[in-house]
């Protein structure tokens, strides 16, 4: 017997059908876009930084990442297009912040879950 696998292939047809019907009713693409955006280490570092400091300018974030402004801007654009970040312009500077409490909660929850042990 393999751990985590069924010994006999048997499924509940009613449950499978209910789940398939519900999946057809819900568009999962927005969720996929958010998780894909957060799956990159530098983009996740940006989001974590913005969780610690409500708002940071592109130059601050570039220094935090030890990356160029161009590379950092690329990540910021990606996160903005994924609706993870908002920004505002102040003169020639751009300041970024996490989009809303949903994103903050998502990151906090993932951090808490990642810190759990299997006791």
């Amino acid at each position: 017997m393999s751990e985590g696998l069924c010994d006999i292939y048997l499924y509940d047809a009613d449950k499978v059908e209910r789940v398939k019907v519900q999946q057809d009713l819900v568009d999962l693409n927005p969720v996929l876009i958010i998780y894909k955006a957060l799956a990159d280490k530098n983009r996740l570092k940006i989001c974590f930084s913005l969780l610690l400091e409500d708002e940071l300018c592109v130059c601050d974030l570039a220094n935090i990442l030890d990356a160029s402004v161009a590379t950092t801007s690329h990540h910021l654009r990606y996160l903005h297009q994924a609706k993870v970040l908002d920004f505002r312009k102040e003169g020639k500077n751009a300041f970024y912040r996490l989009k809303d409490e949903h994103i903050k909660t998502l990151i906090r929850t993932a951090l808490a879950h990642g810190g759990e042990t299997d006791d």
Side-chain angles (χ1 to χ4, degrees), residues 11-22:
Y11 68 96
D12 186 323
D14 291 334
K15 285 182 183 178
V16 169
E17 185 58 27
R18 278 195 307 272
V19 169
K20 284 185 172 187
V21 166
Q22 288 302 307

Side-chain angles (χ1 to χ4, degrees), residues 16-77:
V16 169
E17 185 58 27
R18 278 195 307 272
V19 169
K20 284 185 172 187
V21 166
Q22 288 302 307
Q23 282 185 350
D24 288 343
L25 297 174
V26 176
D27 181 11
L28 295 175
N29 284 324
V31 179
L32 180 64
I33 290 167
I34 291 168
Y35 280 115
K36 186 177 177 184
L38 296 175
D40 177 86
K41 187 174 184 175
N42 283 323
R43 291 192 294 262
L44 187 55
K45 282 182 176 182
I46 288 169
C47 292
F48 181 69
S49 299
L50 293 169
L51 192 61
L52 298 173
E53 292 289 332
D54 289 333
E55 188 177 71
L56 291 165
C57 118
V58 177
C59 300
D60 294 330
L61 289 163
N63 278 285
I64 289 167
L65 294 179
D66 290 323
S68 69
V69 170
T71 297
T72 304
S73 293
H74 170 76
H75 287 304
L76 291 166
R77 248 187 326 277

